[in-house]
Amino acid sequence: MSDRRRATRQKLYEAAVTLIAEQGFSATTVEEIAERAQVAKGTVYYNFASKTELFEGLLRHGTELLTDSLRRAAADRPPIEGLDAMIRAGLEFIAAYPAFAQLIVAETWRTNRSWHETLRLMRDSAVAVVVEILDEAVRRGELSADLDTQLTAAALHGMVLVVALDWLAFQPERSLDDVHAALVRLVHGRITPA
């Protein structure tokens, strides 16, 4: 894919995520996406066969950005320190892409959509990054051997997502450092040894 086409797709993703987060998928038209992205309607269809394909591409794109961010945050760190860094990376990602986070929360509950399986696979890939770090901490004896790492990773993923949205919507005066510190204290008080 050329750099130009990649840039066009990025513009379409940004336009689509904002509109869909504001109005919902059904209410958002291809014309509105094209207008917001400042491209011709045909450009949307040149890049994506349908609005649904655009949306599924958007889900993949956003999740890849999040997953890459989490992996970079944890790289070359001991597991517990990596987990703390992943929490911060998740908060930073949601602060940078709040419309994407809103979209994920809204679409998680709409199980009748054609892209629900895509959404589940994307969510699983992000949660798997957290599972890896939790599994390593269990192997090292830093977390309890009976810790359900799958469920704990899903809980951490959800916690960061919901707390970040709450922070941005209802407590924007709080700093990222404050929110991160509160979540880290909560995690250390509950899943790491006293």
Side-chain angles (χ1 to χ4, degrees), residues 44-100:
V44 177
Y45 289 114
Y46 176 75
N47 284 278
F48 302 98
S50 65
K51 184 171 74 166
T52 298
E53 185 181 295
L54 167 61
F55 186 70
E56 287 184 345
L58 170 64
L59 292 174
R60 283 187 197 89
H61 177 70
T63 304
E64 286 168 9
L65 290 175
L66 173 59
T67 302
D68 291 346
S69 174
L70 296 176
R71 283 193 194 287
R72 280 192 311 276
D76 302 321
R77 297 176 190 261
I80 300 302
E81 189 181 316
L83 184 62
D84 293 351
M86 290 170 87
I87 291 170
R88 183 175 191 89
L91 292 169
E92 289 172 344
F93 177 85
I94 294 165
Y97 303 102
F100 181 75

